Amino acid sequence: MLSFESVEEVCESRQTTLVIHPAIRRAIKGYEESFYVGLRCFLAGESDGLYFLPLQGTGYVRLIFSKRVSSGGHNLLRIDPLTKEGLARIKASLD
């Protein structure tokens, strides 16, 4: 099974900084393999960057991958909930 470190290695190999909220990172535990595949497909331009993160007993939250460039010129890969309430739902599922 893949670990989250595999996801970080993909980003490092592309000289890209991964920007992800700690709660999202914790919620991905157990789903690293599908997350990794989704991330690789997005970076290769083969997907729209939408990932459905299952939550314990409460459905799922849609996450969106987006590429950005920082003001210092560094490549960034952001992982954010698609809706405003998504992060609150993720945090609540971790309690």
Coordinates of all heavy atoms in Angstrom, one line a residue:
M1 N 0.8 -1.2 0.0 CA 0.0 0.0 0.0 C 0.9 1.2 0.0 O 1.9 1.3 0.7 CB -0.9 0.0 1.2 CG -1.8 1.2 1.3 SD -2.9 1.0 2.7 CE -4.4 1.7 2.0
L2 N 0.5 2.2 -0.8 CA 1.2 3.5 -0.8 C 1.0 4.3 0.4 O -0.1 4.2 1.1 CB 0.7 4.3 -2.0 CG 1.0 3.7 -3.4 CD1 0.3 4.5 -4.5 CD2 2.5 3.7 -3.7
S3 N 1.9 5.1 0.7 CA 1.8 6.1 1.9 C 1.7 7.5 1.3 O 1.9 7.7 0.1 CB 3.0 5.9 2.8 OG 4.2 6.4 2.1
F4 N 1.4 8.4 2.2 CA 1.4 9.8 1.8 C 2.7 10.3 1.3 O 2.8 11.2 0.5 CB 0.8 10.7 2.9 CG 0.3 12.0 2.4 CD1 -1.0 12.0 1.8 CD2 1.0 13.1 2.4 CE1 -1.5 13.2 1.3 CE2 0.5 14.3 1.9 CZ -0.7 14.3 1.3
E5 N 3.8 9.7 1.8 CA 5.1 10.1 1.4 C 5.3 9.8 -0.1 O 6.0 10.6 -0.8 CB 6.2 9.3 2.2 CG 6.4 9.8 3.6 CD 5.2 9.3 4.5 OE1 4.6 8.3 4.3 OE2 4.9 10.1 5.5
S6 N 4.6 8.9 -0.7 CA 4.7 8.6 -2.1 C 4.1 9.8 -2.9 O 4.6 10.2 -3.9 CB 3.9 7.4 -2.5 OG 4.4 6.2 -1.9
V7 N 3.0 10.4 -2.4 CA 2.4 11.6 -3.0 C 3.4 12.7 -2.9 O 3.6 13.4 -3.9 CB 1.1 11.9 -2.2 CG1 0.6 13.3 -2.7 CG2 0.1 10.8 -2.4
E8 N 4.0 12.9 -1.8 CA 5.0 14.0 -1.6 C 6.2 13.8 -2.6 O 6.7 14.8 -3.1 CB 5.5 14.1 -0.2 CG 4.4 14.6 0.7 CD 4.8 14.5 2.2 OE1 5.5 13.6 2.6 OE2 4.3 15.4 2.9
E9 N 6.6 12.5 -2.8 CA 7.7 12.3 -3.7 C 7.4 12.6 -5.1 O 8.3 13.1 -5.9 CB 8.1 10.8 -3.6 CG 8.8 10.4 -2.3 CD 9.0 8.9 -2.1 OE1 8.7 8.1 -3.1 OE2 9.4 8.5 -1.0
V10 N 6.2 12.4 -5.5 CA 5.7 12.8 -6.9 C 5.9 14.3 -7.0 O 6.4 14.8 -8.1 CB 4.3 12.3 -7.2 CG1 3.7 13.0 -8.4 CG2 4.2 10.8 -7.3
C11 N 5.4 15.0 -6.0 CA 5.5 16.5 -6.1 C 6.9 16.9 -6.1 O 7.3 17.8 -6.9 CB 4.8 17.1 -4.9 SG 3.0 16.9 -5.0
E12 N 7.8 16.4 -5.3 CA 9.2 16.7 -5.2 C 9.9 16.5 -6.6 O 10.7 17.3 -7.0 CB 9.9 16.0 -4.1 CG 9.6 16.6 -2.8 CD 10.3 15.8 -1.6 OE1 11.3 15.1 -1.9 OE2 9.8 15.9 -0.5
S13 N 9.5 15.3 -7.2 CA 10.2 15.0 -8.5 C 9.8 16.0 -9.6 O 10.5 16.2 -10.5 CB 9.8 13.6 -8.9 OG 8.4 13.5 -9.3
R14 N 8.7 16.7 -9.4 CA 8.2 17.7 -10.3 C 8.6 19.1 -9.9 O 8.1 20.1 -10.4 CB 6.7 17.6 -10.6 CG 6.4 16.3 -11.3 CD 4.9 16.2 -11.5 NE 4.6 15.0 -12.2 CZ 4.2 14.9 -13.5 NH1 4.1 16.0 -14.2 NH2 3.9 13.8 -14.0
Q15 N 9.4 19.2 -8.8 CA 9.8 20.5 -8.2 C 8.6 21.3 -7.9 O 8.5 22.5 -8.2 CB 10.8 21.2 -9.1 CG 12.1 20.4 -9.3 CD 13.0 21.1 -10.2 OE1 12.7 22.0 -11.0 NE2 14.3 20.7 -10.1
T16 N 7.6 20.7 -7.2 CA 6.4 21.3 -6.9 C 6.1 21.1 -5.4 O 6.3 20.1 -4.9 CB 5.2 20.7 -7.7 OG1 5.4 20.8 -9.1 CG2 3.9 21.3 -7.3
T17 N 5.7 22.2 -4.8 CA 5.4 22.2 -3.3 C 3.9 21.8 -3.1 O 3.1 22.5 -3.7 CB 5.7 23.6 -2.7 OG1 7.1 23.9 -2.9 CG2 5.4 23.5 -1.2
L18 N 3.7 20.8 -2.3 CA 2.3 20.4 -2.0 C 1.8 21.3 -0.9 O 2.4 21.4 0.1 CB 2.3 18.9 -1.6 CG 1.0 18.3 -1.3 CD1 0.0 18.3 -2.5 CD2 1.1 16.9 -0.8
V19 N 0.6 21.9 -1.1 CA -0.1 22.7 -0.1 C -1.4 22.0 0.2 O -2.3 22.0 -0.6 CB -0.3 24.1 -0.7 CG1 -1.0 25.0 0.4 CG2 1.0 24.8 -1.2
I20 N -1.4 21.5 1.5 CA -2.6 20.7 1.9 C -2.8 21.0 3.4 O -1.9 21.0 4.2 CB -2.4 19.2 1.6 CG1 -3.7 18.4 1.8 CG2 -1.2 18.6 2.2 CD1 -3.7 17.0 1.3
H21 N -4.1 21.2 3.8 CA -4.4 21.4 5.2 C -4.1 20.1 5.9 O -4.4 19.0 5.4 CB -5.9 21.7 5.3 CG -6.3 22.3 6.6 ND1 -6.5 21.4 7.7 CD2 -6.4 23.5 7.1 CE1 -6.9 22.1 8.7 NE2 -6.8 23.4 8.4
P22 N -3.6 20.2 7.2 CA -3.3 19.0 8.0 C -4.5 18.1 8.2 O -4.4 16.9 8.2 CB -2.8 19.6 9.3 CG -2.3 20.9 9.0 CD -3.2 21.4 7.8
A23 N -5.7 18.6 8.3 CA -6.9 17.8 8.5 C -7.2 17.0 7.2 O -7.6 15.8 7.3 CB -8.1 18.7 8.8
I24 N -7.0 17.6 6.1 CA -7.2 16.8 4.8 C -6.2 15.7 4.7 O -6.5 14.6 4.4 CB -7.1 17.7 3.6 CG1 -8.3 18.8 3.6 CG2 -7.2 16.9 2.3 CD1 -8.1 19.9 2.6
R25 N -5.0 16.0 5.1 CA -3.9 15.0 5.1 C -4.2 13.8 5.9 O -4.0 12.7 5.6 CB -2.6 15.7 5.5 CG -1.4 14.8 5.4 CD -0.2 15.5 5.9 NE 0.9 14.6 5.9 CZ 2.0 14.8 5.2 NH1 2.2 15.9 4.5 NH2 3.0 14.0 5.3
R26 N -4.7 14.1 7.2 CA -5.1 13.0 8.1 C -6.3 12.2 7.5 O -6.4 11.0 7.7 CB -5.5 13.6 9.4 CG -4.3 14.0 10.2 CD -4.5 14.5 11.6 NE -5.7 14.1 12.3 CZ -6.6 14.9 12.9 NH1 -6.3 16.2 13.0 NH2 -7.6 14.5 13.5
A27 N -7.3 12.9 6.9 CA -8.5 12.2 6.4 C -8.1 11.3 5.2 O -8.9 10.3 5.0 CB -9.5 13.3 6.0
I28 N -7.1 11.6 4.5 CA -6.7 10.8 3.3 C -6.1 9.4 3.8 O -6.1 8.5 3.0 CB -5.7 11.5 2.5 CG1 -6.4 12.7 1.8 CG2 -5.0 10.6 1.4 CD1 -5.5 13.7 1.1
K29 N -5.7 9.3 5.1 CA -5.2 8.0 5.5 C -6.1 6.9 5.2 O -7.3 6.9 5.5 CB -4.9 8.1 7.0 CG -4.2 6.9 7.6 CD -3.4 7.3 8.8 CE -2.6 6.1 9.3 NZ -1.6 5.6 8.5
G30 N -5.6 5.9 4.6 CA -6.3 4.7 4.1 C -6.8 4.8 2.7 O -7.2 3.8 2.1
Y31 N -6.7 6.0 2.1 CA -7.1 6.2 0.7 C -5.9 6.7 -0.1 O -6.1 7.3 -1.2 CB -8.2 7.2 0.6 CG -9.4 6.8 1.5 CD1 -9.7 7.4 2.7 CD2 -10.3 5.8 1.0 CE1 -10.8 7.0 3.4 CE2 -11.3 5.4 1.8 CZ -11.6 6.0 3.0 OH -12.7 5.6 3.7
E32 N -4.7 6.5 0.4 CA -3.5 7.1 -0.3 C -3.4 6.6 -1.7 O -3.0 7.3 -2.6 CB -2.2 6.7 0.5 CG -2.1 7.4 1.8 CD -2.6 6.6 3.0 OE1 -3.3 5.6 2.8 OE2 -2.3 6.9 4.1
E33 N -3.7 5.3 -1.9 CA -3.5 4.8 -3.3 C -4.4 5.4 -4.3 O -3.9 5.9 -5.4 CB -3.7 3.3 -3.3 CG -3.3 2.6 -4.6 CD -3.2 1.1 -4.4 OE1 -3.0 0.6 -3.3 OE2 -3.3 0.4 -5.5
S34 N -5.7 5.6 -4.0 CA -6.6 6.2 -5.0 C -6.2 7.7 -5.1 O -6.3 8.3 -6.2 CB -8.0 6.0 -4.6 OG -8.3 6.7 -3.4
F35 N -5.8 8.3 -4.0 CA -5.4 9.7 -4.0 C -4.2 9.9 -4.9 O -4.1 10.8 -5.7 CB -5.1 10.2 -2.6 CG -4.8 11.7 -2.5 CD1 -5.9 12.6 -2.6 CD2 -3.5 12.2 -2.4 CE1 -5.6 14.0 -2.5 CE2 -3.3 13.5 -2.4 CZ -4.3 14.4 -2.4
Y36 N -3.2 9.0 -4.7 CA -2.0 9.0 -5.5 C -2.3 8.9 -7.0 O -1.8 9.7 -7.9 CB -1.1 7.9 -5.1 CG 0.2 7.7 -5.9 CD1 1.3 8.4 -5.6 CD2 0.2 6.8 -6.9 CE1 2.5 8.2 -6.3 CE2 1.4 6.6 -7.7 CZ 2.5 7.3 -7.3 OH 3.7 7.1 -8.0
V37 N -3.2 8.0 -7.4 CA -3.6 7.8 -8.8 C -4.3 9.1 -9.3 O -4.0 9.6 -10.4 CB -4.5 6.6 -9.0 CG1 -5.1 6.6 -10.4 CG2 -3.8 5.3 -8.7
G38 N -5.2 9.7 -8.5 CA -5.8 10.9 -8.9 C -4.9 12.0 -9.1 O -5.0 12.8 -10.1
L39 N -3.9 12.1 -8.2 CA -2.9 13.2 -8.3 C -2.0 13.0 -9.6 O -1.8 14.0 -10.3 CB -2.0 13.2 -7.1 CG -0.9 14.2 -7.0 CD1 -1.4 15.6 -6.8 CD2 0.1 13.8 -6.0
R40 N -1.6 11.8 -9.8 CA -0.8 11.5 -11.0 C -1.5 11.8 -12.3 O -1.0 12.4 -13.2 CB -0.3 10.1 -11.0 CG 0.7 9.7 -9.9 CD 2.1 10.3 -10.1 NE 2.7 9.9 -11.4 CZ 3.8 9.3 -11.5 NH1 4.5 9.0 -10.5 NH2 4.3 9.1 -12.7
C41 N -2.8 11.4 -12.3 CA -3.6 11.7 -13.5 C -3.8 13.2 -13.7 O -3.7 13.7 -14.9 CB -5.0 11.1 -13.4 SG -4.9 9.3 -13.6
F42 N -4.0 14.0 -12.6 CA -4.1 15.4 -12.7 C -2.8 16.0 -13.3 O -2.9 16.9 -14.2 CB -4.5 16.0 -11.4 CG -4.5 17.5 -11.4 CD1 -5.5 18.2 -12.1 CD2 -3.5 18.2 -10.8 CE1 -5.5 19.6 -12.1 CE2 -3.5 19.6 -10.8 CZ -4.5 20.3 -11.4
L43 N -1.7 15.7 -12.7 CA -0.4 16.2 -13.1 C -0.1 15.9 -14.5 O 0.6 16.7 -15.2 CB 0.7 15.8 -12.1 CG 0.6 16.3 -10.7 CD1 1.7 15.7 -9.8 CD2 0.7 17.9 -10.7
A44 N -0.6 14.8 -15.0 CA -0.3 14.4 -16.4 C -1.4 15.0 -17.4 O -1.3 14.7 -18.6 CB -0.4 12.9 -16.5
G45 N -2.3 15.7 -16.8 CA -3.3 16.4 -17.7 C -4.4 15.4 -18.1 O -5.1 15.7 -19.1
E46 N -4.6 14.3 -17.4 CA -5.5 13.3 -17.8 C -6.8 13.3 -17.0 O -7.7 12.4 -17.1 CB -4.9 11.9 -17.6 CG -3.7 11.7 -18.5 CD -2.9 10.5 -18.2 OE1 -3.2 9.8 -17.2 OE2 -2.0 10.2 -19.0
S47 N -7.0 14.3 -16.1 CA -8.2 14.4 -15.3 C -8.5 15.8 -15.0 O -7.6 16.7 -15.2 CB -8.1 13.6 -14.0 OG -7.3 14.3 -13.0
D48 N -9.7 16.1 -14.5 CA -10.1 17.5 -14.1 C -9.6 17.9 -12.8 O -9.8 19.0 -12.4 CB -11.6 17.6 -14.2 CG -12.3 16.6 -13.3 OD1 -11.7 15.9 -12.6 OD2 -13.6 16.6 -13.4
G49 N -9.0 17.0 -12.0 CA -8.5 17.4 -10.7 C -9.5 17.3 -9.6 O -9.3 17.9 -8.5
L50 N -10.6 16.6 -9.8 CA -11.6 16.4 -8.7 C -11.4 15.0 -8.1 O -11.2 14.0 -8.8 CB -13.0 16.5 -9.4 CG -14.1 16.6 -8.4 CD1 -14.0 17.9 -7.6 CD2 -15.4 16.7 -9.2
Y51 N -11.3 15.0 -6.7 CA -11.2 13.8 -6.0 C -12.3 13.7 -4.9 O -12.5 14.7 -4.2 CB -9.8 13.8 -5.3 CG -9.5 12.5 -4.5 CD1 -9.2 11.4 -5.1 CD2 -9.7 12.6 -3.1 CE1 -9.0 10.2 -4.3 CE2 -9.5 11.4 -2.4 CZ -9.2 10.2 -3.0 OH -9.0 9.1 -2.2
F52 N -12.9 12.6 -4.8 CA -14.0 12.3 -3.9 C -13.4 11.6 -2.7 O -13.0 10.5 -2.7 CB -15.1 11.5 -4.5 CG -15.8 12.2 -5.6 CD1 -15.3 12.4 -6.8 CD2 -17.1 12.8 -5.3 CE1 -16.0 13.0 -7.8 CE2 -17.8 13.5 -6.3 CZ -17.3 13.6 -7.5
L53 N -13.2 12.4 -1.6 CA -12.6 11.9 -0.3 C -13.7 11.3 0.6 O -14.6 12.0 1.0 CB -11.9 13.0 0.4 CG -11.3 12.6 1.8 CD1 -10.2 11.5 1.7 CD2 -10.8 13.8 2.5
P54 N -13.7 9.9 0.7 CA -14.7 9.3 1.6 C -14.5 9.7 3.1 O -13.4 9.9 3.5 CB -14.5 7.8 1.5 CG -13.6 7.7 0.3 CD -12.9 9.0 0.1
L55 N -15.6 10.0 3.8 CA -15.5 10.3 5.2 C -16.2 9.2 6.0 O -17.2 8.6 5.5 CB -16.2 11.7 5.5 CG -15.7 12.9 4.7 CD1 -16.5 14.1 5.1 CD2 -14.2 13.1 5.1
Q56 N -15.8 9.0 7.2 CA -16.3 8.0 8.0 C -17.8 8.2 8.3 O -18.2 9.1 9.1 CB -15.5 7.9 9.4 CG -14.1 7.5 9.2 CD -14.0 6.1 8.7 OE1 -14.8 5.2 8.9 NE2 -12.9 5.8 8.0
G57 N -18.7 7.4 7.7 CA -20.1 7.5 8.0 C -20.9 8.7 7.5 O -22.0 8.8 7.8
T58 N -20.2 9.6 6.8 CA -20.9 10.8 6.4 C -20.8 11.1 5.0 O -20.9 12.3 4.6 CB -20.4 12.0 7.3 OG1 -19.0 12.2 7.0 CG2 -20.7 11.8 8.7
G59 N -20.6 10.2 4.1 CA -20.5 10.4 2.7 C -19.1 10.7 2.3 O -18.2 10.1 2.6
Y60 N -19.0 11.8 1.5 CA -17.7 12.2 1.0 C -17.6 13.7 0.8 O -18.6 14.4 0.9 CB -17.5 11.5 -0.4 CG -18.5 12.0 -1.4 CD1 -18.2 13.1 -2.2 CD2 -19.6 11.2 -1.6 CE1 -19.2 13.5 -3.1 CE2 -20.6 11.6 -2.6 CZ -20.3 12.8 -3.3 OH -21.2 13.2 -4.3
V61 N -16.4 14.2 0.7 CA -16.1 15.6 0.4 C -15.4 15.7 -0.9 O -14.4 14.9 -1.1 CB -15.3 16.3 1.5 CG1 -14.8 17.7 1.1 CG2 -16.2 16.4 2.8
R62 N -15.8 16.5 -1.8 CA -15.0 16.7 -3.1 C -13.9 17.6 -2.9 O -14.0 18.7 -2.3 CB -16.0 17.3 -4.2 CG -17.0 16.3 -4.6 CD -18.0 16.9 -5.5 NE -18.7 18.0 -4.9 CZ -19.5 18.9 -5.5 NH1 -19.6 18.8 -6.8 NH2 -20.0 19.8 -4.8
L63 N -12.7 17.2 -3.3 CA -11.4 18.0 -3.2 C -11.1 18.3 -4.6 O -11.3 17.6 -5.6 CB -10.3 17.2 -2.6 CG -10.5 16.7 -1.1 CD1 -9.3 15.9 -0.7 CD2 -10.8 17.8 -0.2
I64 N -10.4 19.5 -4.8 CA -10.0 19.9 -6.1 C -8.5 20.2 -6.0 O -7.9 20.7 -5.1 CB -10.7 21.2 -6.5 CG1 -10.4 21.6 -7.9 CG2 -10.5 22.4 -5.6 CD1 -11.2 20.8 -9.0
F65 N -7.8 19.6 -7.0 CA -6.4 19.9 -7.2 C -6.2 21.1 -8.1 O -6.9 21.2 -9.1 CB -5.7 18.7 -7.9 CG -5.8 17.4 -7.3 CD1 -5.9 16.2 -8.0 CD2 -5.8 17.2 -5.9 CE1 -6.0 15.0 -7.4 CE2 -5.9 16.0 -5.3 CZ -6.0 14.9 -6.1
S66 N -5.3 22.0 -7.8 CA -5.0 23.1 -8.6 C -3.5 23.5 -8.6 O -2.9 23.4 -7.6 CB -5.9 24.3 -8.2 OG -5.5 24.7 -6.9
K67 N -3.0 23.8 -9.8 CA -1.6 24.2 -9.9 C -1.6 25.7 -9.9 O -2.4 26.4 -10.5 CB -1.1 23.8 -11.3 CG -1.0 22.3 -11.5 CD -0.5 22.0 -12.8 CE -0.7 20.5 -13.2 NZ -0.3 20.3 -14.6
R68 N -0.6 26.2 -9.2 CA -0.4 27.7 -9.1 C 1.1 27.9 -9.1 O 1.9 27.0 -9.0 CB -0.9 28.2 -7.7 CG -2.3 27.8 -7.4 CD -3.3 29.0 -7.5 NE -4.6 28.6 -7.4 CZ -5.4 28.6 -6.3 NH1 -4.9 28.9 -5.2 NH2 -6.6 28.2 -6.4
V69 N 1.5 29.2 -9.2 CA 2.9 29.6 -9.1 C 2.9 30.7 -8.0 O 2.1 31.6 -8.0 CB 3.4 30.2 -10.4 CG1 4.8 30.7 -10.2 CG2 3.3 29.1 -11.5
S70 N 3.8 30.5 -7.0 CA 3.9 31.5 -5.9 C 4.5 32.8 -6.4 O 5.0 32.9 -7.5 CB 4.8 30.9 -4.8 OG 6.1 30.9 -5.2
S71 N 4.4 33.8 -5.6 CA 4.9 35.1 -5.9 C 6.5 35.0 -6.1 O 7.0 35.8 -6.9 CB 4.6 36.2 -4.9 OG 5.1 35.8 -3.6
G72 N 7.1 34.0 -5.5 CA 8.5 33.8 -5.7 C 8.9 32.9 -6.9 O 10.0 32.6 -7.1
G73 N 7.9 32.5 -7.6 CA 8.1 31.7 -8.8 C 8.2 30.2 -8.6 O 8.6 29.5 -9.5
H74 N 7.7 29.7 -7.4 CA 7.8 28.3 -7.1 C 6.4 27.6 -7.5 O 5.4 28.2 -7.3 CB 8.0 28.0 -5.6 CG 9.3 28.6 -5.1 ND1 10.5 28.1 -5.5 CD2 9.5 29.7 -4.4 CE1 11.5 28.8 -4.9 NE2 10.9 29.8 -4.2
N75 N 6.5 26.4 -8.1 CA 5.3 25.7 -8.5 C 4.6 25.2 -7.2 O 5.3 24.6 -6.3 CB 5.7 24.5 -9.4 CG 6.2 25.0 -10.7 OD1 5.7 26.0 -11.3 ND2 7.2 24.3 -11.3
L76 N 3.3 25.3 -7.2 CA 2.5 24.9 -6.1 C 1.4 23.9 -6.6 O 0.9 24.2 -7.7 CB 1.9 26.0 -5.3 CG 2.7 27.1 -4.8 CD1 1.9 28.3 -4.2 CD2 3.7 26.6 -3.7
L77 N 1.1 22.9 -5.8 CA -0.1 22.1 -6.0 C -0.9 22.2 -4.8 O -0.5 21.7 -3.7 CB 0.4 20.6 -6.3 CG -0.8 19.7 -6.4 CD1 -1.7 20.0 -7.7 CD2 -0.3 18.3 -6.6
R78 N -2.1 22.8 -4.9 CA -3.0 23.0 -3.8 C -4.1 21.9 -3.8 O -4.6 21.6 -4.9 CB -3.7 24.4 -3.9 CG -2.7 25.5 -3.5 CD -3.5 26.8 -3.4 NE -4.6 26.7 -2.4 CZ -4.5 27.1 -1.1 NH1 -3.4 27.5 -0.7 NH2 -5.5 26.9 -0.3
I79 N -4.4 21.4 -2.7 CA -5.5 20.5 -2.5 C -6.5 21.2 -1.6 O -6.2 21.5 -0.4 CB -5.1 19.2 -1.9 CG1 -3.8 18.6 -2.5 CG2 -6.2 18.2 -1.8 CD1 -4.0 18.2 -4.0
D80 N -7.7 21.5 -2.1 CA -8.7 22.2 -1.3 C -10.1 21.6 -1.4 O -10.4 21.0 -2.5 CB -8.8 23.7 -1.8 CG -7.6 24.5 -1.6 OD1 -7.2 24.6 -0.4 OD2 -7.0 25.0 -2.6
P81 N -10.9 21.7 -0.4 CA -12.3 21.3 -0.6 C -13.0 22.1 -1.6 O -12.7 23.3 -1.7 CB -12.9 21.5 0.8 CG -11.8 21.6 1.7 CD -10.7 22.2 0.9
L82 N -13.9 21.5 -2.4 CA -14.6 22.3 -3.4 C -15.6 23.3 -2.9 O -15.8 24.3 -3.5 CB -15.3 21.3 -4.4 CG -15.8 21.8 -5.7 CD1 -14.7 22.4 -6.5 CD2 -16.5 20.7 -6.5
T83 N -16.1 23.0 -1.7 CA -17.1 23.9 -1.1 C -16.6 24.4 0.2 O -15.7 23.9 0.8 CB -18.4 23.1 -0.8 OG1 -18.2 22.1 0.1 CG2 -19.0 22.6 -2.1
K84 N -17.2 25.5 0.7 CA -16.7 26.2 1.9 C -16.9 25.2 3.1 O -16.0 25.2 4.0 CB -17.5 27.4 2.2 CG -17.3 28.5 1.3 CD -18.1 29.7 1.7 CE -18.6 30.5 0.5 NZ -19.4 31.6 0.8
E85 N -18.0 24.5 3.2 CA -18.2 23.6 4.4 C -17.4 22.3 4.3 O -17.4 21.6 5.3 CB -19.7 23.4 4.6 CG -20.4 22.8 3.4 CD -20.8 23.9 2.3 OE1 -21.0 25.0 2.6 OE2 -21.0 23.4 1.2
G86 N -16.7 22.1 3.2 CA -16.0 20.8 3.1 C -14.9 20.6 4.2 O -14.8 19.5 4.8
L87 N -14.2 21.6 4.5 CA -13.1 21.5 5.5 C -13.7 21.2 6.9 O -13.2 20.4 7.6 CB -12.2 22.7 5.5 CG -11.0 22.6 6.5 CD1 -10.1 21.4 6.1 CD2 -10.2 23.9 6.4
A88 N -14.8 21.9 7.2 CA -15.5 21.7 8.5 C -16.0 20.2 8.6 O -15.9 19.6 9.6 CB -16.6 22.6 8.7
R89 N -16.5 19.7 7.5 CA -17.0 18.3 7.5 C -15.8 17.3 7.7 O -16.0 16.3 8.4 CB -17.7 18.0 6.2 CG -19.1 18.7 6.1 CD -19.9 18.2 4.9 NE -20.1 16.8 4.9 CZ -20.0 16.0 3.8 NH1 -19.8 16.5 2.6 NH2 -20.2 14.7 3.9
I90 N -14.7 17.6 7.0 CA -13.5 16.8 7.2 C -13.1 16.8 8.6 O -12.8 15.7 9.2 CB -12.4 17.2 6.2 CG1 -12.8 16.9 4.8 CG2 -11.1 16.5 6.6 CD1 -11.9 17.6 3.8
K91 N -13.0 17.9 9.2 CA -12.5 18.1 10.6 C -13.5 17.3 11.5 O -13.0 16.6 12.5 CB -12.4 19.5 11.0 CG -11.3 20.2 10.4 CD -11.3 21.7 10.9 CE -10.1 22.5 10.3 NZ -10.1 23.9 10.7
A92 N -14.8 17.4 11.3 CA -15.8 16.8 12.2 C -15.7 15.3 12.0 O -15.9 14.5 13.0 CB -17.2 17.2 11.8
S93 N -15.3 14.8 10.9 CA -15.2 13.3 10.7 C -14.0 12.7 11.4 O -13.9 11.5 11.6 CB -15.1 13.0 9.2 OG -13.9 13.2 8.7
L94 N -13.0 13.6 11.7 CA -11.8 13.1 12.4 C -12.0 13.0 13.9 O -11.1 12.4 14.6 CB -10.6 14.0 12.0 CG -10.2 14.0 10.6 CD1 -9.2 15.1 10.3 CD2 -9.7 12.7 10.1
D95 N -13.0 13.6 14.4 CA -13.2 13.6 15.9 C -13.7 12.3 16.4 O -14.3 11.5 15.8 CB -14.1 14.7 16.3 CG -13.5 16.1 16.1 OD1 -12.3 16.2 16.1 OD2 -14.3 17.0 15.9

